[in-house]
Amino acid sequence: MVIAIDGPAASGKGTLAKRLALHYRLPHLDTGLLYRAVALTLLDAERDLADADAAAAAARGLDPAFLADPRLRGSAMGEAASIVSAQPAVRAALLDWQRRFAGSAEGAVLDGRDIGTVVCPDAAVKLFVTASAEERARRRHRELGGRGEPVAYEAVLADILRRDARDADRAAAPLRVAEDAVVLDTTALDADAAFRAATDVVDGRGGARD
Ligand code: CDP
Ligand code: CDP
């Protein structure tokens, strides 16, 4: 069973994807890490993020071991990832890899922006996780503070709005709700309530409980 989870920044899709993967004993791929890794490869090589040829080469040569690099996690890398991810050649280079992961025997949980629309259009379950921009900014603000990276709330909100607009307005695989996705608005839901709502959807489609 493939569970496709998409949504904007800090909607809680990664947290939900991890919990669903544990619950249903499926492998999980955070596809945002792939784009973050392409961006970090360019920054390490002192290349311009808008250099389409260098970005495509970095995507083609991506080493999966690199996905554990803690430098991928910061908010600056999220912004850089959103710049390189708008390039069609980067997306094309990462597509097969994601599809192979999704095709593993037992199934998989993938989260990102275009899983239900492009990477796994035939996924058994598609969830679009969202929340108001202000609530998402509060979550990310709290998260960054907890990690010892304090940033002003207004700056976090501005970053989220800019990234949402770039991800939704690009021509290549823009962020949008797949026709057959279930929308989970978590503005008023904590992570436990979002998990319960998601398992109700998955179990309704025949997902086995552990
Ligand atoms: O992966 P994405 O950027 O969509 O969000 P995340 O990193 O999974 O979640 C951002 C923060 O929101 C984390 O600190 C979560 O604990 C918190 N959160 C959540 O994941 N789900 C909710 N319904 C409420 C809060
Ligand atoms: O956790 P958060 O939502 O902040 O970021 P992420 O999921 O790690 O994604 C970082 C950036 O990568 C996004 O803003 C998108 O531009 C891009 N991305 C994408 O284009 N397609 C995906 N399937 C996943 C991420």
Side-chain angles (χ1 to χ4, degrees):
M1 179 177 57
V2 173
I3 302 178
I5 305 182
D6 291 303
S11 55
K13 61 190 178 305
T15 303
L16 180 62
K18 261 184 230 128
R19 290 185 65 171
L20 290 176
L22 269 176
H23 183 73
Y24 295 107
R25 298 203 186 95
L26 295 172
H28 166 225
L29 179 63
D30 169 358
T31 63
L33 283 179
L34 303 174
Y35 296 93
R36 286 169 182 258
V38 171
L40 183 56
T41 304
L42 292 182
L43 293 173
D44 276 351
E46 297 184 1
R47 302 299 290 260
D48 192 327
L49 290 172
D51 182 335
D53 291 340
R60 282 192 296 270
L62 201 63
D63 176 358
F66 193 37
L67 302 182
D69 192 311
R71 292 180 299 160
L72 298 180
R73 304 277 168 186
S75 44
M77 214 51 71
E79 174 75 13
S82 123
I83 294 170
V84 299
S85 75
Q87 294 168 21
V90 169
R91 307 201 70 85
L94 297 175
L95 193 55
D96 277 355
W97 203 83
Q98 295 174 83
R99 286 194 173 147
R100 271 200 303 280
F101 187 94
S104 71
E106 68 272 46
V109 182
L110 288 85
D111 74 276
R113 299 292 186 291
D114 63 337
I115 309 304
T117 51
V118 174
V119 179
C120 304
D122 300 326
V125 179
K126 297 181 186 178
L127 296 171
F128 189 89
V129 184
T130 189
S132 72
E134 290 74 18
E135 173 59 19
R136 290 185 286 119
R138 272 192 290 277
R139 291 176 188 171
R140 183 97 334 143
H141 181 249
R142 214 170 18 239
E143 216 182 357
L144 292 170
R147 281 211 307 246
E149 276 181 60
V151 184
Y153 167 82
E154 294 301 335
V156 178
L157 178 62
D159 174 71
I160 278 184
L161 291 173
R162 190 175 54 247
R163 200 136 65 84
D164 284 357
R166 192 188 288 123
D167 291 347
D169 294 346
R170 69 187 178 211
L175 172 68
R176 61 178 179 80
V177 184
E179 255 173 37
D180 46 351
V182 174
V183 177
L184 205 60
D185 187 334
T186 70
T187 305
L189 301 182
D190 66 13
D192 286 343
F195 173 70
R196 282 194 300 274
T199 53
D200 283 349
V201 174
V202 178
D203 293 341
R205 308 274 165 98
R209 277 185 188 279
D210 57 3

